[in-house]
Amino acid sequence: MSSDVSTTRDDLRRPPVADRRPTVREHHGDVFTDPYEWLRDKSDPDVIAYLEAENAYTAALTEHLEPLTETLFTELKERTQETDLSVPVYARHSGPEGDSAWWYYTRTQEGAEYARYCRAPATDRLAPPSLDAPIEGETVYLDANVEADGHEFFDLGALAVSPGGHLLAYSTDVTGAERYTLRVRDLRTGEDLPDTVLDVAHGACWAGDGHVFYTRCDEAWRPYVVLRHRLGTPADDDAVVLTETDERFWLGVDSSRDDRWLVFGSGSKLTSEYRLLATDDPEGTPRVVAPRRQGVEYTVEPAGDRLLVVHNDGAEDFALAQAPLDATSHTQWEPVLPGQAGVRLLEVDAYASHVVVSLRRDGLSGLHVIPRAEDGALLPGADVGFDEPLFTVGSSGSPEYVTPSIRVEYTSMLTPPSVYDYDLASGGLTLLKRTAVLPSATQGPYDPSAYVQERTWATAPDGARVPMSVVRRADVALDGSAPALLYGYGSYEIPVDPTFSISRLSLLDRGVVYAVAHVRGGGELGRAWYDQGKVLAKENTFTDFAACAQHLVDAGYTSADRLAARGGSAGGLLMGVVANRWPERFAAIHAQVPFVDALTTILDPELPLTVTEWEEWGDPLHDPEVYRYMKAYTPYENVTHADHPAILATTSLNDTRVYYVEPAKWVAALRATAGATATRPVLLKTEMVAGHGGVSGRYASWREIAFENAWVLDQIVGRTG
């Protein structure tokens, strides 16, 4: 550690200075000397001391934000219905001990960090229990607060009730490293069985009541093997069912809705392959539905007497096909919904009487419902309609294959999360629950008519029109005087859809315009939109975001000295590029778990997830062109002497997806490069017990959100907030 790092109060307001311990990297004739690579070793006491010094510095420079942070936390807490109940879901079970039916739901309790998972006997599927009265026969089958007791971090990775309804497979992570411990609970007694499996990946599923299937990660955190645990036997005896040797591919396993099939998926960023195994033959050999072909992606949904397949074979935005239940080749796929440019088919859920297709069209999510004839054939379908200009809709479906209705979840930037019952026969929607937004003592009741959500478009340098979702108070003047926060992501074909946020209300009510830039690399406008923002077209992601920022200024939403940017993970890479190239367009940048040392990471196949990422970013290790391209944008290696915006980088010590070392190195480089010319602070805040998603527990999470929003407000509104 440098001698500049001190624990005295006076020195806490001076930025820590990391030692320069040069490490040389050489690829394709390019030599890069990295002064801060030593920060990667978190077992080194010097590294921990440096991170703690950074935390102390951040705390000292944000001490004045404590009252505003507390106010924002209080507003979020006041507006949230803390003691609440989810809409019960009906599920039938059938096993050796007979049939049973239950309502499943979760409860949250004021003062409790985590949810309680409950069920109660169901006598009538059409008569769900009231949300406003005690539920007869309720059993808490897992209380996450009890499981989390004594741990600073807690996460559930699996929560699966067996087909017979008497056993629960659940897994827990108490470090944030996404390595889970799998256990089995007898729901009749509430006691855990001796069966315990260590070091499993996220998720688990049942085959009957006697076998649990799960995945395990390799050293690169890639789920590469599926194992089968037979209840009552030692975990060391668990059988390997499948192993994926191609380091680009991940493995996963799930059960079909009718519990007749185990579905094994193996996929890279560009290619996929599925296998099926009958659940009544759990120790059998899975059958390949269609062998993998490079560049062809597909998913499989068992649908009674046939398979439904969503694929991109000759259809850029994917098509829907059907195949025989015993299919073994893509040549057996028969078209149902041909591919249509601009209509991105995402997935299909099959029920006895209907099929539900999730899709994207015109930058918005949607549902298309297809009725089935008595013989199972698929008939012409129709979309589920909504009347807001911006919204997000999805189907949480039904656990039952034979069902008269499914659950639909809906939200917008103005409408809180809402759960509907969708009648498959009539197409009618019945609102079951809308998340309550309670009055705040400082801001009063929530009135959606006081706000406006709108779609606007920026023009990128190459002429592409980039959509933006914007929400603001209706009384905000569009004269450039309002503060604004622009969010961006733009990777992995992941869309950032317009959704509601209670914490965002505290920003809106202080006059902040909130905007989402739907930049290329995301999935908002179909596969082409994604392809135009990856590998050797990644520059479009960055220039799109810069164009969106300029559009907000040109259209009068804000001005550059009152505009903040925010992005996380791959969106944090975007924040790093923005800070280097367009510092004059932003007053502040919040980079969450930022992927800002991208080239170093993607060059190292020994690091977690690197090889699987080569189809997203390119392979700079073996391809000189990709190396040069990434070298030109990776933020850590392109830090400039410009007067950067105020920067807050937040990260977690146990993050396995984006190592804490990336923002730590970036912050050190920003400070060293700017030196005495810097006029705005560069801060690093590391959660010492957390993972990629940050802290766990809702109150801890709310405080983290409140602090981050207080910092943004301080930069673009002022200390009065």
Side-chain angles (χ1 to χ4, degrees):
M1 287 296 299
S2 165
S3 60
D4 286 318
V5 177
S6 172
T7 57
T8 65
R9 181 169 180 81
D10 289 343
D11 285 349
L12 286 178
R13 297 190 66 84
R14 289 195 302 152
V17 178
D19 284 346
R20 299 177 69 88
R21 304 178 186 177
T23 300
V24 176
R25 185 193 76 205
E26 184 172 359
H27 291 280
H28 309 298
D30 176 69
V31 178
F32 173 64
T33 301
D34 189 339
Y36 304 119
E37 177 62 14
W38 67 273
L39 290 169
R40 185 175 300 278
D41 183 9
K42 66 180 179 181
S43 66
D44 183 346
D46 283 357
V47 172
I48 299 301
Y50 176 74
L51 296 177
E52 289 174 341
E54 287 283 3
N55 281 348
Y57 174 65
T58 296
L61 264 66
T62 59
E63 186 177 15
H64 66 284
L65 295 180
E66 290 178 4
L68 178 57
T69 298
E70 188 62 30
T71 296
L72 297 179
F73 172 79
T74 299
E75 289 176 4
L76 201 169
K77 190 171 181 290
E78 288 176 340
R79 282 170 157 156
T80 301
Q81 184 73 54
E82 296 183 67
T83 299
D84 206 358
L85 172 72
S86 69
V87 178
V89 174
Y90 178 87
R92 290 188 59 83
H93 297 289
S94 181
E97 300 183 27
D99 296 347
S100 62
W102 299 84
W103 294 106
Y104 286 88
Y105 49 96
T106 60
R107 285 190 181 277
T108 54
Q109 184 70 39
E110 182 176 356
E113 290 278 10
Y114 301 96
R116 291 182 295 161
Y117 298 86
C118 310
R119 69 177 187 173
T123 55
D124 184 353
R125 189 196 190 288
L126 300 179
S130 170
L131 302 183
D132 301 318
I135 297 178
E136 186 175 352
E138 177 176 288
T139 300
V140 178
Y141 62 89
L142 189 136
D143 187 337
N145 299 283
V146 173
E147 304 299 330
D149 187 41
H151 301 290
E152 292 186 54
F153 180 90
F154 178 79
D155 182 46
L156 276 174
L159 195 71
V161 177
S162 67
H166 301 304
L167 299 170
L168 172 73
Y170 71 100
S171 65
T172 59
D173 167 27
V174 294
T175 69
E178 299 182 47
R179 302 278 187 161
Y180 296 85
T181 297
L182 177 66
R183 297 180 175 88
V184 177
R185 177 165 296 176
D186 188 327
L187 296 181
R188 294 160 295 192
T189 65
E191 300 294 326
D192 284 351
L193 302 180
D195 302 73
T196 300
V197 186
L198 304 178
D199 193 27
V200 307
H202 194 277
C205 65
W206 291 89
D209 280 20
H211 296 83
V212 179
F213 287 71
Y214 62 93
T215 58
R216 182 165 281 154
C217 291
D218 60 16
E219 292 304 312
W221 258 259
R222 174 183 67 100
Y224 79 104
V225 62
V226 177
L227 298 102
R228 180 184 64 245
H229 176 72
R230 183 156 55 93
L231 261 60
T233 65
D236 289 345
D237 294 343
D238 288 358
V240 173
V241 181
L242 287 174
T243 301
E244 178 55 68
T245 58
D246 190 326
E247 294 182 352
R248 299 172 302 161
F249 285 72
W250 292 36
L251 269 179
V253 59
D254 203 353
S255 55
S256 63
R257 181 170 283 104
D258 59 9
D259 286 326
R260 292 176 54 196
W261 300 96
L262 291 171
V263 183
F264 302 85
S266 183
S268 73
K269 297 287 191 280
L270 299 176
T271 307
S272 54
E273 180 179 67
Y274 280 80
R275 291 173 169 85
L276 295 177
L277 177 65
T279 54
D280 60 6
D281 183 25
E283 298 186 8
T285 301
R287 164 180 54 88
V288 175
V289 173
R292 68 186 65 176
R293 293 175 290 152
Q294 179 63 26
V296 175
E297 299 170 67
Y298 73 94
T299 58
V300 172
E301 172 81 351
D305 64 345
R306 69 197 68 197
L307 300 176
L308 297 178
V309 182
V310 176
H311 67 88
N312 70 339
D313 187 6
E316 181 181 49
D317 279 326
F318 290 70
L320 176 64
Q322 60 184 357
L325 198 57
D326 60 357
T328 58
S329 169
H330 71 278
T331 60
Q332 297 169 278
W333 297 352
E334 299 177 357
V336 174
L337 291 178
Q340 181 180 347
V343 181
R344 174 69 163 91
L345 301 190
L346 301 173
E347 62 181 359
V348 60
D349 294 306
Y351 303 92
S353 64
H354 288 75
V355 166
V356 180
V357 180
S358 299
L359 54 82
R360 301 192 64 81
R361 182 189 291 115
D362 299 327
L364 296 175
S365 54
L367 297 174
H368 185 77
V369 179
I370 303 172
R372 304 182 69 178
E374 289 186 5
D375 63 358
L378 276 62
L379 304 173
D383 291 346
V384 181
F386 298 93
D387 57 8
E388 288 189 275
L390 299 178
F391 61 84
T392 300
V393 64
S395 171
S396 55
S398 167
E400 299 293 294
Y401 181 67
V402 179
T403 179
S405 63
I406 60 169
R407 292 285 162 76
V408 169
E409 297 178 350
Y410 176 91
T411 185
S412 76
M413 291 180 130
L414 302 183
T415 303
S418 307
V419 178
Y420 289 89
D421 226 3
Y422 178 82
D423 188 290
L424 288 168
S426 69
L429 283 166
T430 302
L431 180 64
L432 301 178
K433 180 182 176 69
R434 177 161 289 155
T435 298
V437 182
L438 305 180
S440 161
T442 56
Q443 304 297 331
Y446 171 62
D447 177 10
S449 67
Y451 307 85
V452 175
Q453 64 171 346
E454 54 201 348
R455 173 61 52 85
T456 187
W457 299 79
T459 302
D462 64 355
R465 298 183 71 237
V466 184
M468 302 171 65
S469 297
V470 181
V471 62
R472 57 184 172 84
R473 285 192 62 90
D475 56 5
V476 168
L478 299 184
D479 58 3
S481 63
L485 176 57
L486 178 62
Y487 183 87
Y489 186 73
S491 293
Y492 302 108
E493 202 179 2
I494 296 174
V496 183
D497 285 318
T499 58
F500 188 81
S501 167
I502 288 180
S503 64
R504 189 193 302 145
L505 292 178
S506 293
L507 298 177
L508 300 180
D509 288 343
R510 287 166 174 80
V512 175
V513 175
Y514 184 87
V516 177
H518 302 294
V519 296
R520 280 175 283 187
E524 287 86 350
L525 293 176
R527 176 51 63 91
W529 197 248
Y530 167 51
D531 287 340
Q532 292 169 24
K534 61 183 291 193
V535 194
L536 297 178
K538 191 62 194 172
E539 286 287 343
N540 288 329
T541 302
F542 314 138
T543 54
D544 283 0
F545 191 82
C548 288
Q550 189 61 49
H551 176 76
L552 289 177
V553 173
D554 293 344
Y557 286 102
T558 189
S559 56
D561 61 352
R562 307 204 78 189
L563 176 60
R566 174 180 283 168
S569 196
L573 164 68
L574 173 58
M575 296 301 101
V577 173
V578 163
N580 287 339
R581 296 188 186 175
W582 299 282
E584 75 285 352
R585 297 194 186 185
F586 301 91
I589 293 175
H590 177 203
Q592 302 164 303
V593 290
F595 184 43
V596 283
D597 192 18
L599 183 54
T600 300
T601 295
I602 299 300
L603 275 168
D604 190 348
E606 300 301 317
L607 288 178
L609 310 181
T610 289
V611 176
T612 62
E613 298 286 280
W614 281 346
E615 291 180 340
E616 175 76 21
W617 307 98
D619 176 5
L621 183 62
H622 303 101
D623 188 332
E625 184 181 11
V626 171
Y627 180 91
R628 288 191 294 271
Y629 192 84
M630 292 191 71
K631 173 81 173 179
Y633 72 70
T634 187
Y636 173 58
E637 297 179 34
N638 289 281
V639 171
T640 65
H641 285 274
D643 187 12
H644 294 100
I647 292 175
L648 171 65
T650 51
T651 187
S652 299
L653 185 65
N654 295 329
D655 189 344
T656 59
R657 297 175 184 269
V658 179
Y659 275 15
Y660 71 90
V661 69
E662 299 205 23
K665 290 168 62 174
W666 180 53
V667 165
L670 283 165
R671 292 223 195 92
T673 303
T677 64
T679 61
R680 287 174 283 194
V682 177
L683 304 179
L684 173 67
K685 185 173 185 286
T686 305
E687 295 294 340
M688 304 305 282
V689 184
H692 192 61
V695 297
S696 67
R698 59 173 174 168
Y699 295 109
S701 177
W702 291 353
R703 286 199 178 277
E704 185 175 56
I705 292 169
F707 167 77
E708 293 167 351
N709 284 344
W711 182 84
V712 168
L713 286 170
D714 187 46
Q715 301 300 323
I716 62 176
V717 176
R719 295 200 173 192
T720 60

